[in-house]
Amino acid sequence: MNNIFAKRRDRLLAMKAARDSYIPREQRVTCPACGGQFVRREVSQALWVCPGCGHHWPVGAYYRLSTLLDSGSFRELNGKLPPADPLQFPGYPAKLAEARRKTGLDEAAVTALGTIGGHRCVIGVLDGRFLMGSMSAAVGEKLTQAIETACRRRLPLILVSASGGARMQEGILSLMQMAKTAGALARLDRRGLLYISVLTHPTTGGVTASFASLGDIILAEPGALIGFAGPRVIQQTIGETLPEGFQRAEYQQEHGFVDAVVPRGQLRDTLALLLRLHEKGGRHD
Amino acid sequence: MTELTAQQRVLIARHPQRPNLDDYINGLFTGFFQQRGDRLCGEDAAILGGVALYHGRPVTVIGTRKGRTLEENLERRFGMPNPEGYRKALRLMAQAEKFRRPVLTFIDTAGAYPGLEAEARGQGEAIARCLLELSRLTVPVIALVTGEANSGGALALAVANRVLMLENAVYAILSPEGFASILWKDAARHGEACELMKLTAPDLMRLGVIDEIVPEPDGGAHLARAIAIHQADLAISRHLGELTKLSGGTLAADRQRKFRAMGAAAPGEEGP
Ligand SMILES: [Zn+2]
């Protein structure tokens, strides 16, 4: 009986994941980094990592989940949490509708319960296709509820970020999601629960300046742009060209802000190891 | 007085003669002792902090610091902090917790400084850490938005039990110029942005982002600084009186609950 449900969930996730790659459905794909041409199948089997140069294509949230979670373990949380328009910003509802139609997502975050290498966890993934993965009130609410689910069920938490930062059209309420998620993480921390933050391309702005930087362990995908201010703003401020590799994952590792840069092909095993190492949890009060 | 437009308030909030952090410190506190440095890397003049007596009682004071002269402003990067400033703030917050003193913050900043060095030393991490630590302090935290407060660089000092705001201060996700240039690729449309962004004190009161509006003298705080500071004093001392009655656990829980409720969509159902 359980098995049937697990299979059904698995098929559902696979279906959603299949819609979920950024790349046009053509037989040949060109790597934007090295210009190499590859058969689509070859690249998709490599989890959208370039076989030639190791470039990591951005991937959607369901696809990401399908590469990380044990098969049959995916249970979505809050799948239907609707976006809001708290400032009644002109043109915003139409923009949201368009993003929903284009991506098949309700909002820029997907949260779920699942297992990785047999270890139960709560996992949240931002999807950069939905208005650049920006932090709306709905995204903040969804992530906060995921953190609270981890607290309630005493489970480790994994958040995979990909975000341009704030959702402009939600103004100050977008900003407040930084405080809201940080407060929820304070409660998680107090319960002695593990939080792993995975930074993928790009992680910038208010997401970097809140939950993404607060992991007990912080991992990053190779080449991911990670920073608070965007490179263009910095360049305008200082009036000089930025050094090669500035704000990339490897740079952040070198500067002490990332525990490990982990290629996509090793992410699942790395997460499974970390979950195993923290199986006993920590102090709780 | 007729109602000001949002754009007019932005101009008043940025007025060079508006009371700045030094004015508030001189007007509200005695025995201010300035604490410098983050004990990791450096000192940042864009954030001023220390211990002082407020109506005879020790408090920790932290604020962004704009200058009045060009020289002061260059040294303080116009009140735009580097990570060292936020990490100094973190050090002072930890001491406030240790010595059981309330934290009073004063915010007037165009945002965290977007510099190469700031990024190299983890601007995002420094701000994130402030949000986390302020969330869980078990002493009263009161924030006063005094001028222009933008982005995570302002919020880093504003996760407070009570967020008070001067009548003509503005508080937003970023400057109207930045907003217009990101959203419409046209910074010249900043006037239009002002009106849409809901950045004035009355707007933020309606949205539940702030707790009280501190009245300013007619025409703005720059016309009568002492009166504006007196009004701030009345509001801060009243709120501090209320908060002092609460237990440490209640203070942290109330603060977290307050921000938890912001922008809450319809109550979500948990999954299967
Ligand atoms: Zn390549």
Side-chain angles (χ1 to χ4, degrees):
Chain A
M1 192 64 177
N2 253 337
N3 219 352
I4 296 169
F5 286 126
K7 274 194 184 136
R8 192 173 296 165
R9 281 198 300 270
D10 219 29
R11 267 207 310 277
L12 186 68
L13 178 59
M15 226 170 64
K16 288 184 160 178
R19 279 202 311 224
D20 229 26
S21 114
Y22 280 63
I23 299 95
R25 303 207 63 83
E26 279 143 21
Q27 277 318 299
R28 297 192 73 78
V29 289
T30 307
C31 170
C34 70
Q37 294 233 347
F38 304 94
V39 181
R40 183 187 180 85
R41 209 177 133 75
E42 188 185 359
V43 184
S44 74
Q45 275 171 355
L47 307 179
W48 294 100
V49 175
C50 174
C53 73
H55 166 73
H56 283 54
W57 268 273
V59 295
Y62 287 109
Y63 178 81
R64 172 77 63 181
L65 287 163
S66 76
T67 67
L68 294 178
L69 294 177
D70 298 338
S71 86
S73 74
F74 168 76
R75 286 156 185 251
E76 184 158 3
L77 295 169
N78 268 324
K80 296 267 175 274
L81 195 82
D85 179 13
L87 304 189
Q88 276 123 44
F89 199 88
Y92 183 42
K95 249 200 142 74
L96 281 172
E98 189 196 332
R100 296 176 83 164
R101 200 184 57 243
K102 265 184 162 158
T103 61
L105 297 164
D106 280 312
E107 251 292 356
V110 177
T111 56
L113 283 167
T115 65
I116 298 177
H119 302 277
R120 296 174 68 209
C121 63
V122 173
I123 181 164
V125 184
L126 295 187
D127 195 310
R129 294 167 307 163
F130 195 101
L131 300 176
M132 292 167 70
S134 53
M135 180 102 111
S136 63
V139 168
E141 181 64 25
K142 219 164 171 178
L143 296 179
T144 301
Q145 290 194 21
I147 298 166
E148 289 168 348
T149 300
C151 286
R152 223 174 15 250
R153 300 190 176 214
R154 301 204 50 78
L155 290 173
L157 170 76
I158 299 168
L159 296 180
V160 183
S161 296
S163 176
R167 180 80 53 89
M168 288 299 142
Q169 296 89 343
E170 297 190 19
I172 194 84
L173 288 167
S174 170
L175 189 70
M176 292 302 134
Q177 305 311 306
M178 295 168 63
K180 179 158 131 185
T181 51
L185 288 171
R187 298 191 283 282
L188 186 86
D189 188 59
R190 186 168 170 195
R191 284 169 176 77
L193 298 167
L194 173 69
Y195 165 36
I196 304 171
S197 171
V198 182
L199 313 178
T200 71
H201 182 74
T203 298
T204 59
V207 167
T208 300
S210 61
F211 61 86
S213 289
L214 293 172
D216 298 300
I217 311 264
I218 301 184
L219 309 177
E221 278 200 336
L225 182 81
I226 300 158
F228 178 59
R232 221 172 356 144
V233 177
I234 300 168
Q235 206 150 338
Q236 278 166 12
T237 311
I238 63 171
E240 43 189 289
T241 328
L242 298 169
E244 180 82 18
F246 178 66
Q247 291 183 316
R248 297 288 163 177
E250 298 73 14
Y251 173 98
Q252 295 294 0
Q253 179 179 272
E254 198 179 305
H255 283 76
F257 295 100
V258 163
D259 286 286
V261 175
V262 182
R264 193 171 292 160
Q266 295 167 26
L267 186 57
R268 178 200 180 100
D269 286 351
T270 306
L271 290 172
L273 171 66
L274 288 168
L275 293 175
R276 183 152 64 86
L277 290 170
H278 293 83
E279 215 164 23
K280 295 186 93 170
R283 66 148 204 276
H284 40 92
D285 47 34
Chain B
M1 196 171 96
T2 55
E3 189 77 355
L4 295 166
T5 66
Q7 195 175 8
Q8 286 168 326
R9 288 196 208 265
V10 170
L11 291 174
I12 295 176
R14 291 174 179 172
H15 197 286
Q17 295 308 316
R18 198 167 167 82
N20 66 11
L21 181 58
D22 296 77
D23 298 320
Y24 285 99
I25 288 179
N26 291 331
L28 297 175
F29 307 111
T30 56
F32 177 69
F33 175 76
Q34 183 182 351
Q35 293 178 271
R36 295 183 177 86
D38 66 354
R39 300 294 188 271
L40 297 163
C41 166
E43 155 67 1
D44 180 11
I47 287 188
L48 177 67
V51 200
L53 294 174
Y54 181 60
H55 295 291
R57 146 176 209 186
V59 293
T60 286
V61 181
I62 305 170
T64 57
R65 192 186 197 192
K66 281 184 185 166
R68 281 227 170 77
T69 65
L70 183 64
E71 196 177 39
E72 280 175 353
N73 269 326
L74 287 177
E75 188 209 2
R76 299 170 193 172
R77 291 180 311 284
F78 294 85
M80 300 174 83
N82 266 340
E84 297 73 52
Y86 293 113
R87 296 197 175 108
K88 174 173 66 184
L90 282 166
R91 184 168 78 80
L92 270 48
M93 290 169 201
Q95 284 187 15
E97 183 81 1
K98 174 178 175 184
F99 295 107
R100 314 302 306 156
R101 331 183 252 261
V103 176
L104 306 184
T105 68
F106 296 83
I107 302 154
D108 180 16
T109 179
Y113 189 68
L116 190 147
E117 304 282 303
E119 291 293 315
R121 297 195 293 266
Q123 188 74 284
E125 194 270 350
I127 293 169
R129 198 61 59 189
C130 283
L131 303 178
L132 179 77
E133 296 305 336
L134 273 179
S135 294
R136 60 187 175 191
L137 286 184
T138 61
V139 293
V141 182
I142 297 176
L144 178 66
V145 178
T146 63
E148 178 181 34
N150 289 340
S151 102
L155 180 65
L157 301 181
V159 185
N161 294 91
R162 304 287 157 82
V163 180
L164 318 179
M165 188 165 166
L166 260 67
E167 189 183 337
N168 295 313
V170 293
Y171 185 11
I173 192 148
L174 81 175
S175 71
E177 293 82 357
F179 187 91
S181 81
I182 288 184
L183 205 61
W184 304 310
K185 315 273 174 253
D186 184 3
R189 286 172 73 182
H190 61 90
E192 193 180 334
C194 288
E195 307 304 323
L196 292 173
M197 286 172 77
K198 308 272 198 301
L199 44 65
T200 68
D203 281 335
L204 295 168
M205 193 75 195
R206 274 191 290 275
L207 289 168
V209 170
I210 62 165
D211 300 288
E212 185 169 322
I213 301 174
V214 177
E216 288 187 31
D218 273 359
H222 56 285
L223 296 175
R225 282 187 216 158
I227 294 175
I229 292 169
H230 177 66
Q231 290 293 340
D233 186 21
L234 292 178
I236 294 171
S237 58
R238 180 162 36 79
H239 284 287
L240 189 57
E242 289 169 20
L243 294 174
T244 308
K245 295 186 193 121
L246 305 176
S247 74
T250 306
L251 285 165
D254 279 0
R255 198 180 310 117
Q256 287 177 25
R257 205 171 305 130
K258 170 183 157 76
F259 286 89
R260 174 69 187 83
M262 287 188 196
E269 97 283 25
E270 199 183 323

mmCIF file of all heavy atoms in Angstrom, chain B residues 4-33:
data_model
loop_
_atom_site.group_PDB
_atom_site.id
_atom_site.type_symbol
_atom_site.label_atom_id
_atom_site.label_comp_id
_atom_site.label_asym_id
_atom_site.label_seq_id
_atom_site.Cartn_x
_atom_site.Cartn_y
_atom_site.Cartn_z
ATOM 1 N N LEU B 4 2.152 65.799 3.456
ATOM 2 C CA LEU B 4 3.279 65.823 2.519
ATOM 3 C C LEU B 4 3.194 64.626 1.585
ATOM 4 O O LEU B 4 2.686 63.568 1.955
ATOM 5 C CB LEU B 4 4.594 65.762 3.303
ATOM 6 C CG LEU B 4 4.900 66.958 4.190
ATOM 7 C CD1 LEU B 4 6.017 66.629 5.160
ATOM 8 C CD2 LEU B 4 5.267 68.170 3.350
ATOM 9 N N THR B 5 3.743 64.784 0.395
ATOM 10 C CA THR B 5 3.825 63.628 -0.498
ATOM 11 C C THR B 5 5.011 62.766 -0.057
ATOM 12 O O THR B 5 5.895 63.228 0.668
ATOM 13 C CB THR B 5 4.064 64.053 -1.956
ATOM 14 O OG1 THR B 5 5.365 64.665 -2.033
ATOM 15 C CG2 THR B 5 3.024 65.030 -2.443
ATOM 16 N N ALA B 6 5.026 61.533 -0.532
ATOM 17 C CA ALA B 6 6.116 60.626 -0.173
ATOM 18 C C ALA B 6 7.448 61.202 -0.653
ATOM 19 O O ALA B 6 8.466 61.123 0.037
ATOM 20 C CB ALA B 6 5.868 59.250 -0.779
ATOM 21 N N GLN B 7 7.420 61.805 -1.833
ATOM 22 C CA GLN B 7 8.667 62.352 -2.381
ATOM 23 C C GLN B 7 9.169 63.528 -1.528
ATOM 24 O O GLN B 7 10.369 63.660 -1.306
ATOM 25 C CB GLN B 7 8.442 62.806 -3.822
ATOM 26 C CG GLN B 7 9.757 63.042 -4.546
ATOM 27 C CD GLN B 7 9.561 63.366 -6.021
ATOM 28 O OE1 GLN B 7 8.437 63.555 -6.487
ATOM 29 N NE2 GLN B 7 10.661 63.427 -6.750
ATOM 30 N N GLN B 8 8.247 64.347 -1.039
ATOM 31 C CA GLN B 8 8.649 65.442 -0.143
ATOM 32 C C GLN B 8 9.255 64.897 1.143
ATOM 33 O O GLN B 8 10.241 65.426 1.656
ATOM 34 C CB GLN B 8 7.439 66.335 0.178
ATOM 35 C CG GLN B 8 7.038 67.229 -0.998
ATOM 36 C CD GLN B 8 5.682 67.895 -0.774
ATOM 37 O OE1 GLN B 8 4.781 67.314 -0.164
ATOM 38 N NE2 GLN B 8 5.534 69.107 -1.273
ATOM 39 N N ARG B 9 8.677 63.831 1.643
ATOM 40 C CA ARG B 9 9.229 63.248 2.873
ATOM 41 C C ARG B 9 10.631 62.681 2.635
ATOM 42 O O ARG B 9 11.490 62.754 3.511
ATOM 43 C CB ARG B 9 8.308 62.141 3.388
ATOM 44 C CG ARG B 9 7.005 62.674 3.979
ATOM 45 C CD ARG B 9 6.340 61.577 4.797
ATOM 46 N NE ARG B 9 4.905 61.716 4.861
ATOM 47 C CZ ARG B 9 4.259 62.337 5.860
ATOM 48 N NH1 ARG B 9 4.939 62.893 6.838
ATOM 49 N NH2 ARG B 9 2.951 62.399 5.866
ATOM 50 N N VAL B 10 10.859 62.102 1.455
ATOM 51 C CA VAL B 10 12.204 61.591 1.158
ATOM 52 C C VAL B 10 13.208 62.736 1.232
ATOM 53 O O VAL B 10 14.296 62.594 1.815
ATOM 54 C CB VAL B 10 12.247 60.909 -0.230
ATOM 55 C CG1 VAL B 10 13.686 60.605 -0.642
ATOM 56 C CG2 VAL B 10 11.424 59.623 -0.220
ATOM 57 N N LEU B 11 12.830 63.897 0.704
ATOM 58 C CA LEU B 11 13.734 65.049 0.746
ATOM 59 C C LEU B 11 13.993 65.499 2.182
ATOM 60 O O LEU B 11 15.125 65.797 2.557
ATOM 61 C CB LEU B 11 13.161 66.208 -0.082
ATOM 62 C CG LEU B 11 13.153 65.960 -1.594
ATOM 63 C CD1 LEU B 11 12.444 67.104 -2.323
ATOM 64 C CD2 LEU B 11 14.578 65.789 -2.125
ATOM 65 N N ILE B 12 12.938 65.539 2.993
ATOM 66 C CA ILE B 12 13.109 65.943 4.393
ATOM 67 C C ILE B 12 13.972 64.915 5.131
ATOM 68 O O ILE B 12 14.866 65.268 5.904
ATOM 69 C CB ILE B 12 11.737 66.101 5.087
ATOM 70 C CG1 ILE B 12 10.958 67.250 4.437
ATOM 71 C CG2 ILE B 12 11.907 66.347 6.582
ATOM 72 C CD1 ILE B 12 9.554 67.430 4.977
ATOM 73 N N ALA B 13 13.705 63.637 4.856
ATOM 74 C CA ALA B 13 14.459 62.572 5.546
ATOM 75 C C ALA B 13 15.956 62.665 5.259
ATOM 76 O O ALA B 13 16.785 62.269 6.070
ATOM 77 C CB ALA B 13 13.924 61.203 5.132
ATOM 78 N N ARG B 14 16.270 63.197 4.061
ATOM 79 C CA ARG B 14 17.681 63.301 3.672
ATOM 80 C C ARG B 14 18.278 64.670 3.956
ATOM 81 O O ARG B 14 19.428 64.927 3.594
ATOM 82 C CB ARG B 14 17.809 63.042 2.162
ATOM 83 C CG ARG B 14 17.526 61.620 1.745
ATOM 84 C CD ARG B 14 17.549 61.525 0.230
ATOM 85 N NE ARG B 14 17.304 60.163 -0.224
ATOM 86 C CZ ARG B 14 17.126 59.829 -1.496
ATOM 87 N NH1 ARG B 14 17.157 60.757 -2.427
ATOM 88 N NH2 ARG B 14 16.917 58.560 -1.833
ATOM 89 N N HIS B 15 17.510 65.542 4.586
ATOM 90 C CA HIS B 15 17.985 66.909 4.791
ATOM 91 C C HIS B 15 19.287 66.915 5.598
ATOM 92 O O HIS B 15 19.369 66.289 6.650
ATOM 93 C CB HIS B 15 16.912 67.737 5.520
ATOM 94 C CG HIS B 15 17.137 69.206 5.405
ATOM 95 N ND1 HIS B 15 18.134 69.852 6.109
ATOM 96 C CD2 HIS B 15 16.526 70.154 4.662
ATOM 97 C CE1 HIS B 15 18.113 71.135 5.803
ATOM 98 N NE2 HIS B 15 17.150 71.346 4.924
ATOM 99 N N PRO B 16 20.303 67.626 5.110
ATOM 100 C CA PRO B 16 21.601 67.595 5.800
ATOM 101 C C PRO B 16 21.564 68.154 7.229
ATOM 102 O O PRO B 16 22.418 67.805 8.041
ATOM 103 C CB PRO B 16 22.515 68.449 4.903
ATOM 104 C CG PRO B 16 21.628 69.152 3.943
ATOM 105 C CD PRO B 16 20.346 68.385 3.852
ATOM 106 N N GLN B 17 20.585 69.001 7.513
ATOM 107 C CA GLN B 17 20.510 69.564 8.865
ATOM 108 C C GLN B 17 19.600 68.756 9.792
ATOM 109 O O GLN B 17 19.348 69.162 10.936
ATOM 110 C CB GLN B 17 20.038 71.025 8.802
ATOM 111 C CG GLN B 17 21.017 71.957 8.104
ATOM 112 C CD GLN B 17 22.425 71.853 8.683
ATOM 113 O OE1 GLN B 17 22.631 71.819 9.892
ATOM 114 N NE2 GLN B 17 23.428 71.758 7.802
ATOM 115 N N ARG B 18 19.106 67.642 9.302
ATOM 116 C CA ARG B 18 18.262 66.796 10.145
ATOM 117 C C ARG B 18 19.103 66.268 11.307
ATOM 118 O O ARG B 18 20.294 66.045 11.167
ATOM 119 C CB ARG B 18 17.765 65.631 9.284
ATOM 120 C CG ARG B 18 16.578 64.910 9.836
ATOM 121 C CD ARG B 18 15.997 64.013 8.784
ATOM 122 N NE ARG B 18 15.042 63.078 9.369
ATOM 123 C CZ ARG B 18 13.779 63.404 9.635
ATOM 124 N NH1 ARG B 18 13.330 64.601 9.350
ATOM 125 N NH2 ARG B 18 12.954 62.515 10.171
ATOM 126 N N PRO B 19 18.486 66.073 12.497
ATOM 127 C CA PRO B 19 19.273 65.535 13.609
ATOM 128 C C PRO B 19 19.954 64.225 13.193
ATOM 129 O O PRO B 19 19.314 63.376 12.578
ATOM 130 C CB PRO B 19 18.234 65.277 14.712
ATOM 131 C CG PRO B 19 16.968 65.910 14.277
ATOM 132 C CD PRO B 19 17.081 66.303 12.843
ATOM 133 N N ASN B 20 21.233 64.121 13.500
ATOM 134 C CA ASN B 20 21.928 62.867 13.184
ATOM 135 C C ASN B 20 22.244 62.129 14.479
ATOM 136 O O ASN B 20 21.839 62.553 15.566
ATOM 137 C CB ASN B 20 23.171 63.132 12.322
ATOM 138 C CG ASN B 20 24.237 63.924 13.064
ATOM 139 O OD1 ASN B 20 24.162 64.108 14.281
ATOM 140 N ND2 ASN B 20 25.226 64.409 12.322
ATOM 141 N N LEU B 21 22.939 61.015 14.351
ATOM 142 C CA LEU B 21 23.151 60.171 15.532
ATOM 143 C C LEU B 21 23.824 60.932 16.671
ATOM 144 O O LEU B 21 23.460 60.770 17.836
ATOM 145 C CB LEU B 21 23.970 58.933 15.135
ATOM 146 C CG LEU B 21 24.252 57.942 16.266
ATOM 147 C CD1 LEU B 21 22.963 57.439 16.901
ATOM 148 C CD2 LEU B 21 25.067 56.763 15.735
ATOM 149 N N ASP B 22 24.793 61.770 16.331
ATOM 150 C CA ASP B 22 25.482 62.528 17.379
ATOM 151 C C ASP B 22 24.503 63.427 18.145
ATOM 152 O O ASP B 22 24.594 63.564 19.360
ATOM 153 C CB ASP B 22 26.611 63.361 16.762
ATOM 154 C CG ASP B 22 27.678 62.465 16.154
ATOM 155 O OD1 ASP B 22 27.437 61.933 15.040
ATOM 156 O OD2 ASP B 22 28.725 62.249 16.786
ATOM 157 N N ASP B 23 23.553 64.015 17.417
ATOM 158 C CA ASP B 23 22.550 64.854 18.079
ATOM 159 C C ASP B 23 21.693 64.026 19.037
ATOM 160 O O ASP B 23 21.386 64.469 20.144
ATOM 161 C CB ASP B 23 21.639 65.524 17.037
ATOM 162 C CG ASP B 23 22.417 66.456 16.113
ATOM 163 O OD1 ASP B 23 23.317 67.155 16.611
ATOM 164 O OD2 ASP B 23 22.141 66.452 14.901
ATOM 165 N N TYR B 24 21.295 62.848 18.601
ATOM 166 C CA TYR B 24 20.472 62.010 19.483
ATOM 167 C C TYR B 24 21.264 61.587 20.714
ATOM 168 O O TYR B 24 20.743 61.577 21.834
ATOM 169 C CB TYR B 24 19.949 60.772 18.740
ATOM 170 C CG TYR B 24 18.821 61.113 17.803
ATOM 171 C CD1 TYR B 24 19.043 61.283 16.443
ATOM 172 C CD2 TYR B 24 17.523 61.311 18.297
ATOM 173 C CE1 TYR B 24 18.018 61.629 15.586
ATOM 174 C CE2 TYR B 24 16.489 61.659 17.440
ATOM 175 C CZ TYR B 24 16.736 61.820 16.085
ATOM 176 O OH TYR B 24 15.718 62.169 15.250
ATOM 177 N N ILE B 25 22.518 61.232 20.508
ATOM 178 C CA ILE B 25 23.325 60.799 21.651
ATOM 179 C C ILE B 25 23.500 61.954 22.644
ATOM 180 O O ILE B 25 23.304 61.785 23.854
ATOM 181 C CB ILE B 25 24.670 60.222 21.168
ATOM 182 C CG1 ILE B 25 24.407 58.852 20.520
ATOM 183 C CG2 ILE B 25 25.654 60.088 22.333
ATOM 184 C CD1 ILE B 25 25.619 58.164 19.963
ATOM 185 N N ASN B 26 23.788 63.131 22.129
ATOM 186 C CA ASN B 26 23.939 64.291 23.026
ATOM 187 C C ASN B 26 22.632 64.648 23.708
ATOM 188 O O ASN B 26 22.622 65.052 24.870
ATOM 189 C CB ASN B 26 24.446 65.509 22.241
ATOM 190 C CG ASN B 26 25.882 65.312 21.785
ATOM 191 O OD1 ASN B 26 26.651 64.601 22.433
ATOM 192 N ND2 ASN B 26 26.238 65.909 20.658
ATOM 193 N N GLY B 27 21.523 64.485 22.981
ATOM 194 C CA GLY B 27 20.240 64.920 23.519
ATOM 195 C C GLY B 27 19.586 63.919 24.467
ATOM 196 O O GLY B 27 18.805 64.300 25.328
ATOM 197 N N LEU B 28 19.873 62.641 24.296
ATOM 198 C CA LEU B 28 19.133 61.622 25.052
ATOM 199 C C LEU B 28 19.919 60.981 26.181
ATOM 200 O O LEU B 28 19.331 60.457 27.123
ATOM 201 C CB LEU B 28 18.679 60.494 24.102
ATOM 202 C CG LEU B 28 17.704 60.851 22.983
ATOM 203 C CD1 LEU B 28 17.476 59.643 22.088
ATOM 204 C CD2 LEU B 28 16.375 61.320 23.568
ATOM 205 N N PHE B 29 21.249 60.967 26.048
ATOM 206 C CA PHE B 29 22.038 60.158 26.976
ATOM 207 C C PHE B 29 23.042 60.991 27.757
ATOM 208 O O PHE B 29 23.442 62.076 27.325
ATOM 209 C CB PHE B 29 22.796 59.065 26.205
ATOM 210 C CG PHE B 29 21.907 58.227 25.336
ATOM 211 C CD1 PHE B 29 21.970 58.307 23.951
ATOM 212 C CD2 PHE B 29 20.982 57.363 25.912
ATOM 213 C CE1 PHE B 29 21.135 57.545 23.149
ATOM 214 C CE2 PHE B 29 20.145 56.589 25.119
ATOM 215 C CZ PHE B 29 20.220 56.685 23.725
ATOM 216 N N THR B 30 23.473 60.427 28.872
ATOM 217 C CA THR B 30 24.636 60.983 29.570
ATOM 218 C C THR B 30 25.674 59.870 29.691
ATOM 219 O O THR B 30 25.340 58.683 29.602
ATOM 220 C CB THR B 30 24.270 61.489 30.974
ATOM 221 O OG1 THR B 30 23.676 60.414 31.705
ATOM 222 C CG2 THR B 30 23.301 62.662 30.902
ATOM 223 N N GLY B 31 26.911 60.275 29.889
ATOM 224 C CA GLY B 31 27.975 59.305 30.128
ATOM 225 C C GLY B 31 28.213 58.342 28.991
ATOM 226 O O GLY B 31 28.568 57.178 29.211
ATOM 227 N N PHE B 32 28.034 58.807 27.756
ATOM 228 C CA PHE B 32 28.223 57.899 26.620
ATOM 229 C C PHE B 32 29.683 57.486 26.492
ATOM 230 O O PHE B 32 30.579 58.326 26.435
ATOM 231 C CB PHE B 32 27.764 58.586 25.325
ATOM 232 C CG PHE B 32 27.994 57.750 24.085
ATOM 233 C CD1 PHE B 32 27.263 56.591 23.870
ATOM 234 C CD2 PHE B 32 28.955 58.112 23.143
ATOM 235 C CE1 PHE B 32 27.473 55.822 22.737
ATOM 236 C CE2 PHE B 32 29.169 57.346 22.008
ATOM 237 C CZ PHE B 32 28.429 56.198 21.805
ATOM 238 N N PHE B 33 29.909 56.191 26.455
ATOM 239 C CA PHE B 33 31.255 55.666 26.215
ATOM 240 C C PHE B 33 31.254 54.948 24.871
ATOM 241 O O PHE B 33 30.525 53.973 24.677
ATOM 242 C CB PHE B 33 31.681 54.700 27.321
ATOM 243 C CG PHE B 33 33.021 54.056 27.037
ATOM 244 C CD1 PHE B 33 34.206 54.778 27.207
ATOM 245 C CD2 PHE B 33 33.094 52.751 26.553
ATOM 246 C CE1 PHE B 33 35.435 54.193 26.914
ATOM 247 C CE2 PHE B 33 34.327 52.165 26.258
ATOM 248 C CZ PHE B 33 35.494 52.893 26.441
#
